[in-house]
Structures are given as structure tokens and as C-alpha cells.
Amino acid sequence: EHPGKLKIYPDQKSKMLLWFFQIPIVGTFAYNMIMTKMNIEYQITEKFFYNPFQVNDSMIKAFYDASHTQNGKGKYLFASLESNYLNVDVINAVKSAQNKIHIIIGEKTVNYDEVIQAYRKINHNISAEIIHNAKKLPQLETPEEVLNALKEKN
């Protein structure tokens, strides 16, 4: 994510959305309508993966099962994400970091170059590895290339 986007904090609309999903019957029903297998498959194939033909049924099942374990408590994570409650402003931490920071990002991620430049503007010692033929989940799309990128930097 672009570091500036992580500075978005919950507003009144976000608080209402969180409240809505916390309503026992209504919130659970809405969450279950959103987290159908069909919607999860759409998100994975269209938003997370560059090559939708790499997505298989077991992967979709794993995402679906994970979203519906613990009697639907995944709705709290979903509501918190959608309401910006899990955003953390990392700018000060990145700015003062003395350790090596290495970004691994898929080349098909929207505005990947802007994301890298935004982090490098904060700390010029940040390095980046662009993973070809991958989008938001390069570790699942091209695991060998990600592994090679990690080995090169250690």
C-alpha cells in the first residue's frame, strides 16, 4: 500500500460501517452475502492475481474457509479493514529505520512504481524487487521468483 493511504483514519462513515457489521443478525447476514464463494473467486482472480488461470479450486476454498471459520468472526476483521481501523501510519518508523528494508511487489500491482518511490522518498535506503507476472500476491503467483528475491537480499 502507498504509505499515505495508511494515514486514513476512521471517520463517522467508517464508524457507522463498523457498527453495522457488529449487529449480530444483520451484520452477519451482510458479511455472508459479501463473502460468497463467487465474490471471493472474483476478488482473487480479478484483483489479487495477474493470471487468473493460476487460481485453483483449493485456493478459493482455502480463502472461503478462512473467511467463515470461528462461526463468522471473520466479519470483525473485514469490518475493521473496511472501516480503516487497521491502518497504521508507518512513515515515522520507515523514516527512522536503520535496518535494511526491502519491498517485494508485483509488477501488475496498480501504481507499483509510485508506491516504491513514495517509500524511497521517506527513506532512500529502501530497495525494491519487482516480481514479473504478479499482482498483489506474488508469493502465491510466482513463489520461486519471490524466494530468489529474498535469497539475493540476504
Side-chain angles (χ1 to χ4, degrees):
E1 260 332 303
H2 191 286
K5 190 173 179 185
L6 296 175
K7 291 176 73 170
I8 300 171
Y9 297 108
D11 56 8
Q12 195 62 34
K13 182 181 173 187
S14 298
K15 291 175 184 177
M16 291 296 294
L17 182 65
L18 182 69
W19 173 82
F20 173 77
F21 277 103
Q22 290 177 339
I23 299 171
I25 294 172
V26 177
T28 302
F29 176 75
Y31 174 77
N32 287 332
M33 294 302 293
I34 293 167
M35 291 296 160
T36 63
K37 272 190 180 174
M38 187 172 70
N39 284 343
I40 289 172
E41 181 177 4
Y42 171 78
Q43 289 291 322
I44 295 169
T45 58
E46 300 301 319
K47 307 248 175 163
F48 299 156
F49 271 61
Y50 166 64
N51 182 356
F53 298 109
Q54 286 186 306
V55 178
N56 57 43
D57 290 338
S58 65
M59 198 177 293
I60 294 166
K61 183 180 179 343
F63 276 79
Y64 178 81
D65 290 348
S67 68
H68 291 282
T69 58
Q70 298 290 317
N71 295 322
K73 290 189 178 153
K75 75 176 182 177
Y76 299 110
L77 174 59
F78 174 78
S80 295
L81 283 167
E82 292 297 311
S83 302
N84 301 318
Y85 276 89
L86 296 179
N87 284 357
V88 176
D89 184 359
V90 296
I91 291 175
N92 287 332
V94 171
K95 191 181 293 185
S96 63
Q98 300 298 316
N99 300 352
K100 294 179 184 177
I101 298 175
H102 188 67
I103 297 172
I104 296 177
I105 192 166
E107 76 170 329
K108 303 300 180 180
T109 301
V110 177
N111 300 327
Y112 77 90
D113 50 340
E114 290 177 25
V115 172
I116 293 169
Q117 289 308 315
Y119 279 101
R120 283 184 175 156
K121 191 174 183 180
I122 297 167
N123 185 332
H124 66 277
N125 292 320
I126 291 177
S127 62
E129 185 74 32
I130 299 162
I131 305 296
H132 302 286
N133 299 317
K135 207 170 191 178
K136 289 190 173 190
L137 298 174
Q139 71 276 17
L140 296 179
E141 285 192 89
T142 55
E144 289 296 320
E145 201 171 330
V146 171
L147 187 59
N148 289 337
L150 291 170
K151 285 179 182 176
E152 288 175 12
K153 292 299 173 183
N154 285 330

